[in-house]
Amino acid sequence: MADGVTARFDRRGAWLRSLCVDGRELLVPETDVPLLYGCFPMVPWVGRLGRGKFSFNGADYAMPINFGQHAIHGVGIQRDWTITGDGALTLNLSDPWPFGGTARVEADLRSDHLTITVSVTAGDVAMPAAVGWHPVIRKTIDGDDAELSFSPKAIWQRGANGLPTGERVDVPPGPWDDCFDGVASPPVVTWSDGFSLTFESPTQTWVVYDETSHALCVEPQTGIPNAFNHDGCKILQPGETMSLPLTLRWS
């Protein structure tokens, strides 16, 4: 809590369940729609992993399917994390993830912003990795409607299977459930009463989902969905760490 601001985390999934600023709840509360509420870390992969399958160092692997034909958002959302300090949670990555390693979430709450950082550290063996954040923002608060402002250079073309094809194309009109590239300036959500929320993260890769009437997802990621099956996927060497902070700044 900080000067009229409260943030409430759940050990399950290291899920940020509530972010309330001067009585204004910014996050969608839990409903019967899976994964479309609160704000959670995605680790050790982001978005959809095609049919849950990938190959690494000459071996084939399969993750459990939990979203249509795909495995989505990593394994952290399914686990109870351990509280390891004020605003810090950790998770030892284990079955079905075959490479081990450790995930960590840290939070720093101030009067005008919340910074949340997700990181993953490889264990004794190298592994592919991508991390990200999945905030689910309310489109309407007390009758005030939200509008998203951001300026991507391109969109990763989405195939019929919901996965990026690997090609970048011009940005079409929304609504979207897509990954964008070249987002050089912070996305901003502004409600009709003038209240705004700025998303600051040191990445140019963002997913935006706005196909529902009540929720808007603005997701910074270190890689595209299904990154394990594309060239350029980040590989962590033993003991190496990948981190991604997200600052939610309100005014």
Side-chain angles (χ1 to χ4, degrees):
M1 181 179 293
D3 296 333
V5 182
T6 58
R8 180 171 60 86
F9 281 87
D10 191 334
R11 287 182 56 211
R12 186 69 173 180
W15 217 295
L16 177 62
R17 295 299 188 104
S18 173
L19 178 59
C20 190
V21 179
D22 295 329
R24 177 194 300 258
E25 177 57 63
L26 303 182
L27 301 177
V28 171
E30 184 173 2
T31 67
D32 58 356
V33 181
L35 305 179
L36 200 60
Y37 61 92
C39 175
F40 56 86
M42 297 178 284
V43 60
W45 72 85
V46 295
R48 299 172 178 88
L49 177 61
R51 296 185 179 273
K53 297 180 179 180
F54 66 99
S55 298
F56 180 67
N57 281 350
D60 296 329
Y61 299 94
M63 299 294 101
I65 303 303
N66 61 351
F67 188 80
Q69 298 178 331
H70 308 306
I72 197 167
H73 298 333
V75 299
I77 55 175
Q78 305 163 356
R79 304 292 177 82
D80 287 331
W81 294 53
T82 300
I83 299 172
T84 53
D86 186 15
L89 302 99
T90 61
L91 176 69
N92 291 325
L93 300 176
S94 58
D95 186 63
W97 183 246
F99 305 105
T102 304
R104 181 176 175 85
V105 163
E106 297 175 281
D108 181 19
L109 180 63
R110 304 299 174 95
S111 61
D112 65 344
H113 70 271
L114 169 67
T115 298
I116 46 179
T117 302
V118 58
S119 62
V120 61
T121 301
D124 296 333
V125 298
M127 68 183 198
V131 298
W133 283 101
H134 194 295
V136 187
I137 307 299
R138 295 173 64 190
K139 276 190 174 179
T140 302
I141 300 177
D142 296 331
D144 295 309
D145 295 329
E147 181 177 348
L148 172 64
S149 175
F150 81 134
S151 300
K153 291 183 178 179
I155 192 171
W156 289 92
Q157 186 179 60
R158 176 163 49 107
N161 59 2
L163 304 174
T165 64
E167 299 295 324
R168 281 173 286 193
V169 298
D170 292 339
V171 178
W176 298 303
D177 180 13
D178 294 284
C179 185
F180 297 85
D181 187 40
V183 183
S185 58
V188 180
V189 173
T190 304
W191 285 264
S192 51
D193 67 347
F195 183 88
S196 66
L197 186 66
T198 301
F199 298 72
E200 302 171 0
S201 189
T203 181
Q204 294 191 17
T205 303
W206 297 72
V207 165
V208 170
Y209 172 77
D210 67 348
E211 293 184 341
T212 66
S213 61
H214 71 288
L216 171 63
C217 303
V218 184
E219 310 164 31
Q221 304 181 167
T222 61
I224 65 174
N226 201 34
F228 292 180
N229 291 306
H230 287 275
D231 294 338
C233 174
K234 174 65 176 178
I235 306 301
L236 294 183
Q237 299 303 317
E240 187 178 3
T241 297
M242 168 191 291
S243 297
L244 186 67
L246 168 63
T247 295
L248 300 171
R249 189 178 305 275
W250 45 86
S251 61

